[in-house]
Amino acid sequence: MQQKGSDEEILQSFVSSLLMDEKEPVAPQKLVVNENPISQKIVTVPHKIKPVLSERLKLAQNLLKQMPKIQDVAEASRKLEDVKVEHKTAEQKANHPVENSSVNEMVKHQPHTINGNDENPPEFSSRPKIHKPEPLAIKVRVQPQVSPPLLKRETDILTPHTPIEPQLKIKPQVIEQITTKEIQQQQAKPVTQKRISKIPDWGRGRFQTLIFKVGEIKLAVPLVKLGGIHRLDPHLTQLAGQPEWYMGLMRDQVGNLSVIDTALWIMPDRYPLAKELSQDYEYVVLLDDTRWALAGGSVQDALMIREDEVNWTPENSKRPWLAGMLVEHMCALLDVDVLVDMLNKLSKKNNRS
Amino acid sequence: MLGDIFLQTWAIANQKGGVGKTTTAVNLGGLLAEKGYRVLLLDLDPQTSLTSYFGVNSDEQAFNIYHCMTHLEWDAKALKERAILSTGVEHLSFISGSIALATIDRQLDQLQGKGFVLSKMLEKLQEYFDYVILDCPPILGILLINALAVCQRLLIPCQTEYLALKGLERMLNTVHMVAKAGKSDFIYTIIPTLFDRRTLASVKALRTMRDKYPEALWQNVIPIDTKFRDASLAHQPLNVFEPETQGTHGYRVLIKHLLQGSIKGSEAS
């Protein structure tokens, strides 16, 4: 069972690592990278470099664990500070400004820390000698423009009771040096390649929708934007010079409704199929308090939808009238405001020409 | 039919071989094409079964899915001209697999977001296809994860026999791992395949599946049908080769179910 558990962990870690890099981050995590309470700084760590950092931190923790004489990591850090003062050189100053990672510093000075003495560190005689190890944490230059912390999750690696995870096998190439420049470049880049979705106001939290069908295509209209439902009058008043998707005028109690051939609107490039679907129209769905109405085949249930159930359409989509997709219901959610706006503009343009 | 509005990607996957993945991919593709949808089949399996199905020798192809995934700078035009092949059936195209896919983990090793390579590639083809069907390899690796990361539907063909049930558990475990890693916006449906009503093993296995996975299981079956083999020899989907057989009927019922979007599948989460 133990083995099975670890296999699953390995697989989960593999799957997560593949899906992690470009996942939309909830919020960047904050990582404390300097143990000195005076100069302690919190930096924003981009999502992409988090796994690398985490591996480095784990390695640093494991190295600390391997030191037999140091039980108290806090004490180690104090000793470290003493040693730092002794060994600070001009070169170190240049390479390790105040903001530099203390993990990096700490690992560099571990041999000194053990005995507080440069010479003959006997504890290391049985272990491989550490020759100027590669930095295990990144050098992070804190930029003035770094936004204040958004998330109160901080990892202080020098907390004595920090659970030390099992030794990770880290490939040599993983322990490459990440330079300040690289970090800055990564910070400058957008954390994710995904396009940002714009969620309409009515889409926040929970909202109700009405589902209607066009052929087998299911479309959802948010109830707050639904102006009403009427049976389609088979005798629409045709208007000359209108686009193909404009079915005609239909009278209701208030006046004339402009009825849109929904199938042709949503798939103008699939004319034969759209025309076939339009044979089944029975109802019209009024858009908000406008005089625009979408023709539909049948009206189905009203559904309560949660914001997170919608795959929201990214901004700059080619179909701006499409708010998103209700994956669970295999249904397209309409952005009525955008749709009405488009129809108004197209109508004006058409009338001018 | 969301494929009418935006590109829909269906992944056909199971970590057990010989359960009917390629047959399902080809026949669903054939039926969608018959309905007028523009369908692209992707052979993601290094064994290149789908490519062979259409009588193409993957070794003779200058460009295949391996090149598409390792040349993300190719635009839609380049992809169409170089890699997309015709199946001989109207509206049905495919991209050949390659044995080189077995090494793609290494090729993509240094790449950021290597789980989303396929997603980036397919984004370029949105204008040209309504449905993309992914014939996945039976191994949990970078290709399968790419497929799960991009798909809106996961179809898990499962042979109605005892050993296949074990493979099904493994596959579902993978689905849950992917969901745990944050990708849960797809629906999965288990498709009982190669069902032979004359054998007790088939009947028992189907019963077990119905008991164990009542939500995710499609309630019909794809029956065993020798015509599937004949259709593959003719390099045609069964609905083109023999429109009126049991097998074609089975897939017609399935495609109707999938297109109606009636949720008899389960969400990955």
Side-chain angles (χ1 to χ4, degrees), chain A residues 335-346:
Chain A
D335 190 329
V336 172
D337 292 334
V338 176
L339 177 56
V340 166
D341 193 42
M342 287 175 77
L343 290 169
N344 285 336
K345 280 179 185 161
L346 286 169

Side-chain angles (χ1 to χ4, degrees), chain A residues 72-220:
Chain A
D72 186 342
V73 188
E75 189 187 343
S77 72
R78 280 197 299 277
K79 286 187 178 182
L80 225 165
E81 284 303 310
D82 296 337
V83 176
K84 266 190 208 170
V85 173
E86 287 174 25
H87 293 269
K88 215 173 256 180
T89 62
E91 187 189 348
Q92 279 173 322
K93 278 179 190 171
N95 292 335
H96 306 285
V98 179
E99 298 85 3
N100 278 3
S101 159
S102 62
V103 183
N104 191 4
E105 291 285 323
M106 194 170 67
V107 174
K108 282 203 168 195
H109 293 292
Q110 275 169 359
H112 308 296
T113 313
I114 297 297
N115 291 326
N117 184 351
D118 281 0
E119 294 167 8
N120 304 323
E123 285 75 14
F124 282 92
S125 57
S126 59
R127 292 199 296 273
K129 198 176 171 187
I130 301 174
H131 296 286
K132 283 203 168 189
E134 291 293 315
L136 298 173
I138 54 164
K139 300 171 192 174
V140 182
R141 196 181 301 279
V142 179
Q143 301 295 324
Q145 63 268 31
V146 170
S147 54
L150 298 169
L151 194 69
K152 290 287 179 195
R153 181 171 166 189
E154 298 174 357
T155 308
D156 187 346
I157 58 149
L158 292 178
T159 304
H161 300 297
T162 303
I164 296 179
E165 297 190 20
Q167 180 83 42
L168 288 174
K169 285 184 183 174
I170 300 176
K171 289 181 188 172
Q173 64 264 31
V174 175
I175 315 175
E176 85 282 289
Q177 186 170 357
I178 299 181
T179 64
T180 308
K181 192 180 166 193
E182 282 169 326
I183 298 300
Q184 283 170 340
Q185 278 173 350
Q186 293 210 35
Q187 283 176 327
K189 278 185 211 167
V191 173
T192 170
Q193 299 290 317
K194 282 193 174 179
R195 288 165 292 180
I196 300 160
S197 303
K198 189 184 172 213
I199 303 174
D201 291 341
W202 49 260
R204 303 283 175 191
R206 286 158 70 86
F207 58 96
Q208 279 198 300
T209 59
L210 179 91
I211 311 280
F212 71 100
K213 285 178 89 175
V214 176
E216 291 301 334
I217 305 168
K218 286 201 241 175
L219 299 169

